[in-house]
Amino acid sequence: DELMEGVRRPERRDIYSCPYLLTSGMTRAKGNSAVRQMIHTDLDGLAVPAVTLTGSAIVGSGTPGHGHIYVRTSDSMTAAEHDVLCRALSGWLGGDSKYSDNDVLRPVGTLNHKTSSVGPGHPEAGAPLVVHWIRRPDGSAPMTKADLAAALGIPDLDTAASTTSSRASSSRPGG
């Protein structure tokens, strides 16, 4: 009730949500998600890409030309596999580096008060913009993580993920 009251208030509030369930209360650390059965990327300069991946959805984040792409998978993935697949999706679509399992993104139905990019004289200048579906999930069966990897040009997800995992552990102190 308190959350919905905050959403309904007319004053300037930007609301963000993590699209992954996290395992440890208020800690939002990378790799701390309970289950990873989707990948995502954040796109600025979105021209509604022709994402033909089964199980994909597109959210307009409120700022004109900006959005999020989500692609579900039928099986859960490790943190390293998630990183590899999100990085590949971002590269394929020209997205930015916002694709960790601890990201916070604007949920559909909330308001984006960041209207400076609209420009003076635009009819929506100064007014909050609604975060909305550009393409809703279509209800089709999602791809396996291996099929998704192949569609994104990754021939061997296990090898790519172990390489990513090795780089991450060697960059940690004592690793």
Side-chain angles (χ1 to χ4, degrees), residues 9 53 62 102:
R9 287 188 189 145
L53 299 170
N102 67 335

Side-chain angles (χ1 to χ4, degrees), residues 106-130:
R106 298 173 193 277
V108 170
T110 62
L111 298 176
N112 179 341
H113 292 276
K114 186 174 70 175
T115 56
S116 59
S117 62
V118 176
H122 189 280
E124 295 172 335
L129 302 173
V130 176

Side-chain angles (χ1 to χ4, degrees), residues 67-91:
H68 314 133
I69 309 294
Y70 299 91
V71 184
R72 292 181 309 131
T73 60
S74 61
D75 42 349
S76 190
M77 61 193 94
T78 66
E81 291 169 335
H82 180 266
D83 186 64
V84 166
L85 290 171
C86 285
R87 190 179 305 267
L89 179 66
S90 182

Side-chain angles (χ1 to χ4, degrees):
D1 290 336
E2 193 174 320
L3 173 64
M4 290 314 296
E5 180 60 29
V7 171
R8 287 188 209 99
R9 287 188 189 145
E11 64 263 11
R12 183 183 171 108
R13 293 188 189 266
D14 285 301
I15 296 173
Y16 298 89
S17 175
C18 182
Y20 303 88
L21 293 175
L22 301 177
T23 59
S24 63
M26 298 301 288
T27 303
R28 196 174 59 85
K30 185 175 180 176
N32 204 23
S33 58
V35 177
R36 294 171 209 88
Q37 273 191 270
M38 73 172 166
I39 62 171
H40 74 280
T41 192
D42 185 69
L43 291 171
D44 298 342
L46 177 68
V48 186
V51 178
T52 56
L53 299 170
T54 303
S56 63
I58 304 172
V59 173
S61 63
T63 302
H66 293 215
H68 314 133
I69 309 294
Y70 299 91
V71 184
R72 292 181 309 131
T73 60
S74 61
D75 42 349
S76 190
M77 61 193 94
T78 66
E81 291 169 335
H82 180 266
D83 186 64
V84 166
L85 290 171
C86 285
R87 190 179 305 267
L89 179 66
S90 182
W92 187 52
L93 296 172
D96 61 26
S97 61
K98 190 167 183 75
Y99 49 71
S100 293
D101 66 349
N102 67 335
D103 285 340
V104 290
L105 302 165
R106 298 173 193 277
V108 170
T110 62
L111 298 176
N112 179 341
H113 292 276
K114 186 174 70 175
T115 56
S116 59
S117 62
V118 176
H122 189 280
E124 295 172 335
L129 302 173
V130 176
V131 179
H132 61 282
W133 289 111
I134 292 174
R135 185 174 67 226
R136 291 177 178 269
D138 62 11
S140 60
M143 290 190 276
T144 66
K145 62 187 176 186
D147 288 342
L148 178 56
L152 294 172
I154 302 167
D156 184 352
L157 180 59
D158 290 336
T159 301
S162 67
T163 302
T164 297
S165 185
S166 296
R167 274 196 313 257
S169 63
S170 68
S171 67
R172 283 188 221 123

